[in-house]
Structures are given as C-alpha cells and as structure tokens.
Amino acid sequence: MDYAKLAERLLPGDYFPPEHYEKIYPPRALPSGAEVTRLAPSPTGFIHLGNLFVAIANERVAHRSGGILYLRIEDTDEKRKVDGAVEAVKNALRYFDIKFDEGAEIEGAKNAYAPYYQRQRAEIYRSFVKRLIACGRAYPCFCTEEELSALREKQTAEKKITGYYGEFAACRNLSEEDIYRMLDEGKPYVIRLRSLGNPENKIAFHDEIKGDITVTENDQDVVILKSDGIPTYHFAHAIDDHFMRTTLVIRGEEWLASLPIHIELFDALGFKRPRYGHNCSLMKQDGETRRKLSKRKDPELSLEFYRREGYFARAVKVYMLTLLNSNFEEWYLKNSDAPLEEFKFTVGKMGKSGALFDLDKLNDISKNELARLSAEAMYDFLSSWAREYGTEMQKSYFDDKAYMLKVLELCMGTAGKKRRKDFTTAKQGVELISYFFGVSVRADDYRVDGVTKKRILEEYSRTFDYSDDASAWFAKVKEVAAKLGFAADMKEYKANPEAYQGNVADVAEVLRIAITGRANTPDLWTIIHILGEEKCRARVERALAEEV
C-alpha cells in the first residue's frame, strides 16, 4: 500500500515537518536539575481535591529545583466542556496559592510554548498523525459506534479483554481498494495507531514514586485522531509534553493503566519520554473499610466545598503536604510559622499507597493556623468569605471595622500569649460571632431548670451596673450565686459539692447563654462591654420572657 498517498488523502495539504516544531519549541534554557512540570485539567467544571494534591506536588518539585510549572488546558473533549470551567480552575488554584510560571491565560508570563489549549494546537497534532500514516504506523478506522459496542459485548461474553486489537481490529488490514471506496462514499472515520506491542511481553519501568514496576506492552490500536479532526488525550499529551519540554509528570495512579499506551506513543513519535510518577489516591475511612474519595458520595472531594465552607487556604495546603511527604509533619511541628516553601519537598518521600484523608485532622490544623493570624488578617479572611458566600446580614457584620476588630481581638485572644482556637473555618467563625450582631440565637440549652434560670436572671438584673469593672461585676455574680444556694467559692464547692445546687460557674453559664446564646465564649464581662448596656439588658429580658 502506498502509505504516503493515503496520508495525503486523509490529511491533504502541507503541514510543517517535525523539525519545524523542534525549532520553535526548543529545549528550555534552565539550570541543571531544574524540573518542568505541569497541571493539565480538562474544562469539565469540576476541580477536585485530587487535582490540588497533584498541583501542590508539581508546584513544589518545579520551584524547589529552579524549574517551571505551567498550566495546560486539555480541551479535546468538546462534548464535556463547561462554559467558565477554565476560570473556575484558575480561581480555585489561585485561592490555594498555586503559582504558575506560564500557561493558559497566565498574565505576565512569557508563554513561549503557547498555545496552551489543546484545541488550538490541532495543526501540530495533525502533522504528526500524517507522518504516522505515511510510515504505516496509523490507519483509518470506519467502525461505527454500534459496531464497537457489539464488539465489546462479544468480548465480554467470551471473557476476553475488551478493546480494538489483533483479530478484533476490523479495519487494521483493510485493502487499499476498500479504504478508498469507503472514503469515496464519505463514510466517517477515525485514525488509529497501529500497535506493534505484544501482550506477552513485559516492560520494566521506573516510576518516580512507586519505584521499579512492570507493565504489559500495549497492543490496543487506540484512536489518535477523532472524526472531528481533534486528537484524543493520549496522543495530544505525548506531543505537548515533548514540545513543552516537560521533564516530570506527576499524576494520579489511575493513569497507570494508560502507561503502556503512552510508552508506545512516545516511541512511535520518536520522542524521549518524560519521567512519570504516579501518586497514591486519596482514601476515606468508611466504617470498617477504606475507599477512594468519591465525587458522588463525598462533598469534601470538590475544591468548591473548601471555599464555600471557608477553609483557610494555608491550612488545606499544610494538610495536603502531610499526606504528600512523609517527613513534612515533623518539619511543620518545628517550623509552624515558617513559609511552606522552606520545606524540602521531594518526590522520594511521596507515599506509594493510598493516603487516608481525615477531615477532623484538617479541622485541627485549620484551628491552629487561624489562631496564628492577627485580628486584621482574620478580619480580611472572614470578610472575604462573607462577600462571596455570606448572607446579606453576615456581610453587614463587616461594615464597622473598628467594632469587628474588638470582637476578633476578644475571640482570638491576645497575640503573643496562648490564643483561643475557636475558629475552624470562615463560615463557622462568622456564625460563631453572630451574637455580637443583631439578636442572639440560643445555640445551647440551659443546664438548670426553668425556675432556677429565671431567679438567676432576675437577681442579676437587679444588681447589674454597666459601669462596674470586671472585678466588681464578678463579685456581684458571686453574690447572686451565694444567695441562690450555689457555691461562690470553687474550693468550697469541690470540698463539699452535695451542700450546693452548683457553683458560680453554673450561674455564669446561665448569664452567658442568656446574653450570647452560647455556653462557651470568651470573657463575658468584655462581651457585655462590646455589646453595650442596652443590648445586654434587652437580651436578659428576652431570656426572662421565655416560658419556664
């Protein structure tokens, strides 16, 4: 068969030869050992924790080595494309402080290896498809979707490997006459790779994360160019990684199954392969078993979940690093205030098996990280969340910055001393301080009976003087306690608890719930003086009016 003639029929016209692209996308001028890595999402609208997991690893490897991290958009699947998805990807990664050096719509970058959208690189791919056809390594396939579906059913029934290979590759050995006849009839076709692999052969492969592994040679005649003239992901990624001069691909272990295809494609194209590292999956404890995080079952897989809940970006990044590098947690305990960039991230310390994702552990890290913020930084963090996700009422909390800073300084504790760790996320934090704004909503129940609650509030109202300092105010609370049969002195209570209804802390808790709606808050006297006398009296009156 005249393959050169066939190549011209299938892809007519002049295409630049491979040498042209080698010149316009030359090897990068980078220091020895510098890595070029990438993040290459598809614009389907859903960016998840696994993407962030890979992004952090790629970013750390590139920048610690003095290399480049770039963003490539793999938009070959037009059917699944979602409007605004690229912007959603960029916004999510920007929130988590993933810094790209170049790539799709990265402002200020040189972008010498553009374009970074695969559909805009179609001419490059077709040039190489045409070359593969001309040398007999690719051919047209005219099988319909119905025929391919019937083939899969037949293979499944016969308990054979599904796919388009060997005896099942119906168009692999079509005669020249049949090919041209179907082309003349206008029958739709795709272009497939003519695999030279043998499934009996094994390939020794060094994975940068998993170590030395063995994979089976590919024998599948995979589609490399679809009927719309756009390549498949497999083919496009091989060409892009070569001409964008990628040195290391860190990706999810679900791609291990495609590795034999990618090895053969690089060999067929005559390209040196980048190194590959397949990182472990994120797992979740589900009862007695562990399973992979699921888009359908687990809302915490979506990055939008962390933005909507208001997780502090650094906290999420810290937790991801504890899962990515086995020695990070020890470093972090000693260097918790240091920039994360100072940690010596290495591919060799990445886990070979599934990493257990624990939301409770993330929450603990988040509390610690938020406790380190200044009141000003916390104001910026909370107000930013409220502007995007808060209710109109919550947005209004930030209208009076001076007032809010008083609230935050109280709720966080004094900088330099032991800080309170009440804040977990922005959403939870804004809800937690809501009693400083508007009417308090009772979140906790009184632990005393209704009659006792009423007597405590009545006695408190009778003696309350807003001008009292903290010492005088608490002395009156103790007097109320003693009058109603509660121990005013904690030592006396511990020595003889049966002699009392409770202690002064129980009385203070009633006041706290009446004024704030919560049993656990910062210093109540300070809260009273931030709220003001009128609000405090009104809240006590409101609590008194509740049915006993």
Side-chain angles (χ1 to χ4, degrees):
M1 185 180 296
D2 187 339
Y3 290 120
K5 176 185 174 185
L6 178 60
E8 186 59 32
R9 175 65 187 271
L10 295 172
L11 290 166
D14 294 329
Y15 287 88
F16 287 116
E19 297 76 22
H20 169 78
Y21 297 110
E22 295 288 351
K23 288 179 181 176
I24 64 172
Y25 300 123
R28 295 172 182 268
L30 293 171
S32 175
E35 301 281 14
V36 179
T37 66
R38 43 80 162 175
L39 192 68
S42 57
T44 58
F46 184 87
I47 182 164
H48 56 76
L49 205 60
N51 299 130
L52 180 63
F53 200 50
V54 169
I56 292 171
N58 279 297
E59 187 272 334
R60 285 292 75 222
V61 167
H63 293 156
R64 278 206 61 80
S65 66
I68 296 290
L69 171 68
Y70 68 88
L71 176 65
R72 184 170 76 221
I73 304 299
E74 299 191 334
D75 57 348
T76 57
D77 191 345
E78 187 71 8
K79 292 179 183 177
R80 295 176 62 220
K81 185 178 178 182
V82 175
D83 289 340
V86 174
E87 196 58 35
V89 167
K90 287 173 58 187
N91 287 341
L93 295 173
R94 188 184 299 118
Y95 180 79
F96 291 104
D97 199 30
I98 302 299
K99 295 183 174 70
F100 293 97
D101 302 291
E102 62 183 49
E105 300 175 45
I106 303 301
E107 296 176 5
K110 291 182 180 178
N111 287 342
Y113 294 80
Y116 297 91
Y117 285 85
Q118 287 186 326
R119 293 187 77 85
Q120 296 174 15
R121 301 172 65 84
E123 287 295 303
I124 305 174
Y125 308 134
R126 290 174 191 148
S127 169
F128 283 88
V129 171
K130 187 170 185 177
R131 189 182 72 155
L132 289 176
I133 297 168
C135 64
R137 285 302 310 272
Y139 63 90
C141 171
F142 300 91
C143 293
T144 65
E145 283 298 322
E146 292 74 19
E147 289 169 335
L148 293 173
S149 179
L151 173 62
R152 284 191 294 273
E153 290 177 8
K154 180 176 185 294
Q155 290 169 330
T156 301
E158 295 177 358
K159 294 183 167 46
K160 294 183 177 178
I161 295 172
T162 59
Y164 203 85
Y165 63 93
E167 63 182 294
F168 301 110
C171 295
R172 181 183 174 104
N173 297 310
L174 286 175
S175 68
E176 192 169 8
E177 180 183 357
D178 284 340
I179 290 173
Y180 282 103
R181 175 179 54 78
M182 285 189 269
L183 289 174
D184 289 340
E185 291 173 356
K187 194 168 184 182
Y189 62 89
V190 297
I191 305 297
R192 291 184 180 272
L193 176 73
R194 189 186 301 276
S195 174
L196 303 182
N198 182 344
E200 300 297 318
N201 296 336
K202 304 295 181 183
I203 303 170
F205 183 84
H206 179 74
D207 188 286
E208 297 297 313
I209 296 172
K210 296 187 177 298
D212 293 330
I213 61 175
T214 301
V215 296
T216 302
E217 271 189 357
N218 172 62
D219 69 336
Q220 297 275 348
D221 287 4
V222 295
V223 175
I224 58 175
L225 195 71
K226 295 179 285 188
S227 57
D228 62 358
I230 297 298
T232 57
Y233 162 77
H234 297 300
F235 191 69
H237 109 279
I239 290 175
D240 292 341
D241 279 342
H242 175 71
F243 286 118
M244 293 178 184
R245 306 300 174 176
T246 310
T247 62
L248 175 63
V249 175
I250 298 175
R251 60 186 184 180
E253 62 185 354
E254 66 273 14
W255 289 105
L256 269 172
S258 302
L259 185 59
I261 297 171
H262 298 165
I263 290 173
E264 184 170 15
L265 281 170
F266 273 95
D267 292 346
L269 290 164
F271 297 156
K272 179 183 176 181
R273 296 193 301 267
R275 294 165 9 257
Y276 286 95
H278 295 86
N279 69 278
C280 60
S281 299
L282 291 172
M283 311 294 287
K284 180 175 183 175
Q285 192 72 36
D286 195 351
E288 302 256 331
T289 61
R290 288 186 179 188
R291 61 169 174 80
K292 287 178 67 174
L293 281 172
S294 159
K295 290 182 184 180
R296 184 171 58 85
K297 296 179 181 179
D298 306 310
E300 67 267 33
L301 183 61
S302 169
L303 288 190
E304 179 60 20
F305 168 83
Y306 299 92
R307 297 183 69 194
R308 189 175 61 249
E309 292 296 311
Y311 274 90
F312 190 42
R314 176 181 159 97
V316 177
K317 206 167 181 179
V318 165
Y319 184 49
M320 290 288 97
L321 284 166
T322 67
L323 300 179
L324 280 165
N325 255 197
S326 57
N327 58 333
F328 174 79
E329 194 163 7
E330 182 182 355
W331 176 88
Y332 175 67
L333 289 173
K334 297 175 182 176
N335 304 276
S336 53
D337 292 323
L340 299 181
E341 291 75 17
E342 292 183 7
F343 170 67
K344 294 180 180 179
F345 185 94
T346 57
V347 175
K349 293 289 186 180
M350 291 178 70
K352 294 178 173 59
S353 58
L356 182 62
F357 181 81
D358 184 348
L359 200 59
D360 289 336
K361 186 166 183 179
L362 170 58
N363 289 339
D364 288 340
I365 290 172
S366 189
K367 287 178 181 179
N368 289 332
E369 285 293 326
L370 289 176
R372 292 191 180 94
L373 296 183
S374 66
E376 281 274 356
M378 181 65 85
Y379 176 90
D380 291 341
F381 172 61
L382 297 180
S383 61
S384 176
W385 175 85
R387 282 195 303 273
E388 190 166 2
Y389 297 100
T391 64
E392 290 305 313
M393 172 65 80
Q394 288 171 332
K395 290 174 187 176
S396 73
Y397 296 174
F398 300 89
D399 292 345
D400 187 340
K401 184 175 181 179
Y403 180 79
M404 177 60 92
L405 287 176
K406 286 182 183 179
V407 171
L408 295 176
E409 284 164 0
L410 169 65
C411 293
M412 296 175 69
T414 306
K417 296 183 180 180
K418 188 172 182 179
R419 306 291 293 279
R420 293 182 65 92
K421 296 181 180 179
D422 296 338
F423 293 94
T424 305
T425 66
K427 180 180 180 181
Q428 171 266 345
V430 170
E431 291 172 350
L432 186 68
I433 60 176
S434 62
Y435 59 84
F436 285 100
F437 309 88
V439 179
S440 67
V441 176
R442 181 142 61 88
D444 297 312
D445 290 326
Y446 296 100
R447 290 191 292 175
V448 300
D449 61 69
V451 173
T452 304
K453 178 201 88 170
K454 187 171 183 180
R455 291 180 66 199
I456 290 171
L457 294 178
E458 285 174 342
E459 286 296 325
Y460 175 76
S461 296
R462 189 178 62 76
T463 62
F464 175 62
D465 186 338
Y466 185 75
S467 64
D468 285 341
D469 62 17
S471 178
W473 173 83
F474 190 58
K476 288 181 178 179
V477 173
K478 292 171 78 171
E479 288 174 10
V480 170
K483 184 173 182 179
L484 299 178
F486 290 81
D489 184 277
M490 291 301 294
K491 287 184 180 179
E492 291 179 8
Y493 177 73
K494 288 178 181 178
N496 190 16
E498 294 82 8
Y500 302 97
Q501 281 203 65
N503 58 66
V504 68
D506 299 318
V507 173
E509 183 181 272
V510 171
L511 303 177
R512 197 180 303 274
I513 295 174
I515 293 169
T516 71
R518 292 173 171 81
N520 181 25
T521 71
D523 178 62
L524 183 56
W525 180 85
T526 308
I527 291 173
I528 290 168
H529 282 263
I530 291 175
L531 285 170
E533 181 176 8
E534 185 179 342
K535 284 183 181 177
C536 290
R537 287 193 180 278
R539 292 182 183 187
V540 170
E541 289 299 320
R542 182 169 172 260
L544 275 168
E546 293 174 344
E547 289 187 14
V548 175

